[in-house]
Every structure is written in C-alpha cells, then in structure tokens.
C-alpha cells in the first residue's frame, strides 16, 4: 500500500515545483555574453536574402512545455499501469499534480479576480478524479490540455520573436575629418560637432547637417520616396540613408542610439505589448460556458455523485473548441506561407475579419519605387522621340531611378539607348552633360538650366505650368545650348491596383491613400486607382496620427506600407501588411509580409481569413455532437470521466477533420493570380 502522507507530500512538491519552472524560452535564458550584447546593441544584420526570402526564427519548446510533456507521458504510463498493478495508480498522482499545477493556479487567480475561467472546471474534474481514484481519466484529459497549451504558446511567441532590431544598415565605422585628413574611427567615437566624410555609394552613419560638398541622397530606406534629394550645405541628413553620388562632409548631431532611426525603433519596442492581449475565440467561448458548467456540476452532485457530476461539467464546457482554433490557425499559417504570404502573428486571422478600412501608403505601395515617363514635350512638334532618345542615351549608365525610367521608356518606344562612345559628365543634384554624335547634350532639372543660362522656350511653358500645378517632375533636354524638350515623370501605379481596390470596395471595405505628394498629384492617382478618400502632403510622423484618428472614429484599420517612415503607422493599425522589397524595419514591424510586390495577395489575405472563420465555425459545430452526447451518457447510462475523454477525443477528431479539409479545399479554389508557388531555391549551374 502507498503511504498517503508520503504521497501527499510528493504531490505537493510536484505542484510547487511546476510553479517554479521558469517561463522563458531556452534561448532567452542563456546569459548575455559579450557576443550577445554586441549583436543586440550593434548594427543590425543585413537585408533578407535575395529572392524575397524572409528569415523566421524556429519556435522552440519552452522549458515548462518540455517538463510537462515528460510528466504527461509518466502520468499516462503509471495510470494505465494501475489497471494491472493497482499500486501504480496512486503514484501517477505525483506527475498529475505537476501537470495540473498551472491550471489550478490560473483557476485560483481567476477566482481572486472574480471572473470565470475554464481552468476552474478542469481543476474541479481533477479533484473529482483524485477523490474517486480515477487517475487514467485525469491523465487523458491532461494530454489534451498539453496539446492545446503547446499550440497556443507557439502562436503567442510568433510576434515577440519576429520583432528584432534590424534596420537600415549602418556601418560600424565612420571617416572622421581631422586636420584635413580622413581617419577611420569606430562609430562610437563620433561626438556631436565632429565632421564625417561620406563618399558616393556609402551609407551615412550619423544624423547631422551637410557642412561641405554636395551629392544626391537616396532616402528611400527612411522616407519611402523614390526621388533622391540634393545634399548641399545646410541640409539635414539621417543615418541609414545612402549617398548615391558626390562627396559630402557632415557635421554630426547624433550618432548610435541617439539617431532618429534608433528613436523610432525604441517606440516600436514600447508599443509591442499592444498586440499581445488578443484572446483566442475558442478560449473565450469555453470561459463563457464555465458558469453554466459549474452550476450544472454542482446541481448534479446530489443525484449523480462527484465523479459523474465532474464529467457532466466537462461536457458542458465543450473542450474541443479550445484546441480546434489553434490547430486550424497553424494550418492557415502554413498554407499562407506556401502561397507567398508570411503571417507572423497568427491572431491576425481573427482581427483581419473585422477590418473595414485599408490605408495604403502611396510611394512604393500603390506605386513602384521608380517613376514612369508620363509624357514627352518637344519644342518642335514631331521631335518627341528624338528628345526621349537623347535623354536615355545621356542617362544610360547612371544608377538612379530617373535614369532607369528614361531608359525603359526609350526602349518601349523603339529608341536607341546604348551608345558606347558617349562621354558623360555628372553634375550631382543637377543632371548630366554628354557628347553624343558631336553634339553637347544636357539632361537635368530646371535649376540645371538656370545655372547654364539656358532660357526656357515659350512652346514648353504650358507643359511646365501644368506640371507645377499637378506636382509632377520634369527632366529637361538641351542640345547645343538650346532646350529642345522635357520629359514628364509621374508616379508609376501598379497595374493590379484598380482590381484590388474594386474588389475591396465590393466587400464594403473603404480604401484610403496617404501621400507626401501635392494634393493634385495624390488626387490624380486616387482617381486612377478608384479610391475616393486620400490625405496629401502627409509628413512621415503624421501617418500614425491619421491611423489613430480613423480608429478613434470607429474604423478598424489595416495599414499597407513599405518604408521606415511607415513603421509607427504599421504598429498603430490593427493589422499591418508590408510588401516584398520593403525596408527591413517595415518587414520586422508588419504582421503580414507579402513575398512578392503584388497587391492581389492582399485579397488572398482577406479570403484566407474568411475561409478560416467559416470552417472554424463548422468545426466547432461538428465537435459539439460527440461532446454533447456525453451529457445523456452521464445522466442515463452512468458514464464518467472516461466517457468525457472519449467524447472530447471524438469531438476533436470530427471538428478537426471537417475544418482542416474544408480550409484546404477553399484555398485550392482561389485564383492562381492570388497565390504564389513556393520558390525554387536550388542553385543552377550555367552550362559551359
């Protein structure tokens, strides 16, 4: 016989020991050595691998999950062995105490807070099993609880593990100008007032003001705007942006953790907790049924006995709803990943169903990162192709987006663009001068013309006035000291945007544009996209405020963006989506990352969540049939917790079969344009 006092002491020790198991991940429990601190505080890792792959950390079982798994195996083995060797049954109470400790603790805390929780029913069932000596039933119920907790823990850690400190790459060193020489020093040694030299195609390591030199700075990583800005004396520049051309000396204002980019990142970390309070709907349903279950069990005790009354209470809570939801959620996450949609927070599947407003950032989201040629204006009618050809030939070897747009448009119109004999002189921030077929060709901005003293022909005045009114950019083309035409650049609207907007509008979702461009430009693009509401001339820091304002008006907002300046708006929105090719911070911040720059995948996201919700409800409804059958079995046939375990298992099997198969069929029926086959990452060798 087992000594009851010894057994009780062992159970108490197991119970207390389980509560003392640390709740952090194995990775988080490692001591922070020098290498770990340097990786955490130093510059971030590079951008995601080529091909659009996004790094996702693998979920590791937590320490308590591993301990509970071992205890569950031991409890089931001992309880099953107790059927043949009776002494093993009471001994199984020791690992069972270890297993139920968290549930009992949560039940106690819920009671202290004067609220009902399904753990209170589970605790009552465990007490009834112990009191009646039915250890195997308690062990079987513990297996189901372990499965649920592990799955919920996996989805709970998706968001916190995906939020990292990656940012626009900032070099570890800077070239400090000292006594007329450039000296390379660690970035940490740069102090406010120091002058740092940055050359073409180098990343600016500090926040500061240009003290000398000039060049063009690509701020797409920071502002999302495609057009480089001219860096000249007195202009502010920021860490993480790239100097495309020229040489500048920057007087440092802030460096390292004090830069504007670092401040934005700290705000993101501070607001991370806002997304961790979403509760599983299955858990909420079970908690809502807890008062009814406890009442039914208490009323049934005088008629059925403690053991059978506990089984009745367990059947009323409809336990499978707590397990079907997380399993179907993981299936949806896996299916989305195969179809080119990375969902980093599984609870988005619930929140996205309530979205009624989709806010698009304009540049890089509704438009491509590069402009398009909207029109070619010639001084002499009929020479438009000559103007475009000269502009493309002069800009052919230039690396900036405007040059690529000119070359692409010239090729589309059948113009000659490649001329190995062209000699080009670059004027940073202004334009280029080239010798083409013995002619001197200038291609650049209006300021370039003014500095060269070239007058604007009267024939081009209407085009210039119209471009100024609409906020469009003009690139002027001169030949032999005479302006012969201008090329108008417009935002390049993604071809799928009207289709996506129309589909969202048909479902009752309102679309909104946020843009830093002029109102006329934004209005014209909104008209082309079919969007009725827009906000123009929006500063980067105002985007989050607009999202807050929309949500304060009762709207549930999904924000779609791709720039660092979108990060706070992405965090404030209920749902955030980032496109392939976005900045590192936008990818880290967004809950959903699209593996390709195709906005039709947004429609896939909405169709996925609606299919998820539809089949989840069907699974829940189907699971209630076997579980509900336990109630008459307990009352009429005298069944107990064993029947409850069978009913829960049957309900779980039926519910999962219907929901998972139904979701798979629904996703297969989606159009191929809204899906993305998994990329082939194998390397191919070119034949000699």
């Amino acid at each position: 016989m087992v000594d009851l006092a010894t057994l009780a002491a062992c159970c108490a020790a197991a119970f207390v020991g389980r509560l003392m198991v640390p709740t952090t991940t194995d990775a988080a429990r490692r001591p922070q050595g020098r290498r770990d601190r340097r990786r955490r505080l130093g510059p971030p890792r590079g951008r995601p691998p080529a091909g659009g792959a996004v790094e996702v950390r693998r979920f590791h079982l937590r320490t308590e999950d591993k301990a509970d798994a071992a205890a569950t195996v031991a409890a089931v083995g001992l309880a099953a062995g107790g059927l043949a060797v009776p002494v093993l049954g009471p001994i199984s109470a020791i690992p069972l105490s270890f297993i139920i400790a968290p549930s009992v603790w949560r039940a106690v805390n819920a009671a202290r807070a004067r609220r009902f929780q399904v753990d209170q029913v589970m605790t009552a069932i465990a007490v009834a099993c112990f009191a009646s000596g039915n250890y195997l039933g308690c062990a079987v119920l513990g297996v189901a609880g372990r499965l649920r907790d592990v799955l919920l823990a996996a989805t709970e850690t998706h968001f916190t593990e995906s939020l990292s400190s990656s940012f626009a790459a900032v070099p570890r060193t800077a070239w400090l100008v000292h006594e007329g020489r450039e000296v390379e020093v660690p970035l940490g040694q740069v102090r406010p007032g120091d002058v740092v030299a940055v050359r073409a195609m180098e990343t600016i390591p500090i926040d500061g003001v240009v003290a000398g030199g000039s060049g063009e700075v690509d701020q797409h990583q920071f502002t999302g705007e495609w057009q480089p800005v001219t860096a000249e004396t007195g202009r502010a520049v920021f860490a993480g942006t790239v100097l495309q051309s020229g040489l500048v000396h920057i007087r440092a204002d802030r460096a390292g953790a004090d830069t504007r980019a670092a401040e934005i990142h700290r705000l993101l970390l501070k607001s991370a907790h806002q997304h961790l309070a979403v509760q599983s709907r299955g858990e909420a349903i079970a908690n809502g049924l807890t008062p009814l279950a406890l009442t039914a069990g208490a009323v049934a005790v005088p008629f059925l006995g403690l053991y059978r009354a506990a089984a009745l209470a367990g059947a009323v809570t409809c336990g499978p709803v707590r397990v079907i939801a997380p399993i179907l959620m993981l299936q949806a996450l896996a299916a989305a990943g195969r179809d080119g949609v990375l969902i980093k927070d599984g609870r988005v599947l619930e929140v996205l169903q309530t979205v009624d407003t989709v806010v698009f950032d304009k540049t890089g989201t509704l438009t491509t990162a590069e402009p398009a040629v909207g029109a070619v204006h010639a001084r002499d009618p009929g020479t438009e192709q000559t103007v475009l050809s000269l502009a493309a030939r002069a800009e052919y070897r230039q690396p900036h987006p405007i040059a690529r747009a000119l070359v692409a448009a010239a090729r589309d119109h059948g113009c000659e663009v490649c001329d190995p004999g062209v000699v080009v002189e670059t004027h940073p921030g202004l334009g280029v001068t080239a010798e083409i077929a013995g002619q001197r060709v200038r291609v650049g901005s209006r300021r370039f013309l003014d500095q060269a003293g070239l007058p604007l022909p009267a024939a081009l005045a209407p085009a210039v006035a119209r471009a100024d009114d609409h906020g469009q950019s003009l690139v002027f083309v001169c030949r032999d000291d005479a302006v012969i035409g201008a090329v108008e650049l417009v935002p390049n609207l993604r071809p799928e945007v009207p289709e996506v907007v129309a589909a969202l509008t048909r479902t009752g979702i309102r679309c909104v544009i946020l843009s830093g461009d002029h109102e006329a430009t934004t209005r014209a693009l909104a008209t082309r996209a079919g969007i009725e509401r827009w906000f123009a001339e929006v500063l980067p820091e105002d985007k989050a405020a607009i999202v807050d304002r929309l949500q304060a008006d009762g709207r549930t907002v999904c924000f779609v963006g791709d720039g660092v300046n979108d990060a706070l708006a992405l965090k404030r929105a209920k749902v955030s989506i980032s496109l392939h090719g976005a900045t590192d911070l936008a990818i880290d911040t967004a809950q959903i990352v699209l593996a390709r720059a195709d906005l039709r995948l947004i429609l896939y996201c909405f169709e996925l969540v609606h299919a998820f919700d539809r089949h989840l409800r069907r699974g829940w409804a189907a699971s209630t049939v076997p579980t509900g059958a336990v109630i008459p079995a307990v009352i009429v046939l005298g069944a107990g917790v064993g029947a409850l375990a069978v009913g829960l298992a049957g309900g779980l099997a039926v519910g999962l079969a219907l929901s998972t198969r139904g979701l798979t069929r629904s996703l297969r029926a989606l159009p191929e344009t809204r899906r993305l086959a998994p990329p082939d990452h194998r390397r191919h060798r070119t034949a000699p």
Side-chain angles (χ1 to χ4, degrees), residues 216 390-398 400 403 406 419 421-445 447-454 475-482:
E216 291 185 334
L390 290 176
R393 293 169 70 182
E395 295 275 6
Y396 179 70
R397 294 184 179 274
Q398 301 305 307
H400 51 79
L406 293 173
D419 189 348
V422 174
V423 179
V424 179
E425 179 184 356
T426 302
H427 307 274
L430 299 174
V432 297
T433 301
E435 294 291 335
I436 302 177
Q439 299 173 326
R440 188 178 187 184
V441 177
R442 293 185 179 92
V443 179
S445 63
R447 191 155 57 99
F448 190 24
L449 301 185
D450 295 340
Q451 290 189 5
L454 300 178
V475 176
F476 294 92
V477 180
C478 310
R479 181 175 58 190
D480 292 336
D481 298 331

Side-chain angles (χ1 to χ4, degrees), residues 7-95:
L7 181 62
C10 292
C11 291
F15 185 93
V16 175
R18 173 61 183 86
L19 297 180
M20 296 178 63
V21 173
T23 59
T24 54
T25 61
D26 294 339
R29 289 193 304 109
R30 292 199 307 265
Q32 290 285 339
R34 293 181 60 188
R35 176 177 296 181
D36 292 327
R37 287 195 299 268
R38 184 166 61 250
R39 183 181 295 116
R40 175 169 53 89
L41 298 176
R45 294 173 294 179
R47 294 184 62 82
V54 180
E55 181 181 359
V56 181
R57 300 179 184 178
R58 180 175 297 176
F59 171 73
H60 298 280
L61 284 177
R62 296 180 295 183
T63 302
E64 71 273 22
D65 292 328
K66 296 177 181 178
D68 285 344
T72 301
V73 172
V76 173
L78 290 172
L83 299 177
V85 183
V87 72
L88 296 180
I91 296 178
S92 67
I94 299 175

Side-chain angles (χ1 to χ4, degrees), residues 281-486:
R281 280 188 293 165
E283 195 80 19
I285 292 175
N287 291 341
L289 292 173
T290 296
L292 178 61
L294 293 177
T295 302
V299 171
V301 169
F303 306 98
L304 303 178
L306 182 62
Y307 177 63
R308 293 168 59 194
L312 179 65
V316 173
T317 58
C318 196
V321 301
R322 307 173 67 201
V323 184
I324 294 175
I327 291 179
L328 191 64
M329 179 180 295
L330 291 183
Q331 183 197 9
L333 296 179
R338 290 192 299 269
D339 290 338
V341 177
L342 174 62
I343 300 178
K344 299 192 293 181
D345 186 351
R347 287 157 294 186
V348 169
L349 296 176
E350 300 178 9
V351 183
L352 193 58
Q353 300 172 44
T354 64
V355 167
D356 55 16
T357 303
V358 176
V359 178
F360 293 96
D361 173 60
K362 182 186 75 69
T363 304
T365 303
L366 291 179
T367 63
T368 59
E370 298 180 1
V373 173
V376 179
H377 306 285
R379 180 193 61 185
D380 303 321
T383 61
E384 287 82 2
Q385 193 160 352
T386 301
V387 172
L388 183 58
S389 177
L390 290 176
R393 293 169 70 182
E395 295 275 6
Y396 179 70
R397 294 184 179 274
Q398 301 305 307
H400 51 79
I402 294 177
R404 291 192 292 267
L406 293 173
V407 172
R411 284 174 173 166
D412 291 342
H413 287 78
C415 301
E416 181 182 359
V417 296
C418 181
D419 189 348
V422 174
V423 179
V424 179
E425 179 184 356
T426 302
H427 307 274
L430 299 174
V432 297
T433 301
E435 294 291 335
I436 302 177
Q439 299 173 326
R440 188 178 187 184
V441 177
R442 293 185 179 92
V443 179
S445 63
R446 177 68 178 272
R447 191 155 57 99
F448 190 24
L449 301 185
D450 295 340
Q451 290 189 5
L454 300 178
L456 186 68
L460 295 179
V464 173
R466 185 167 55 253
D468 291 340
D469 291 340
H470 290 78
Q472 308 291 12
S473 299
L474 287 177
V475 176
F476 294 92
V477 180
C478 310
R479 181 175 58 190
D480 292 336
D481 298 331
V483 179
I484 64 171

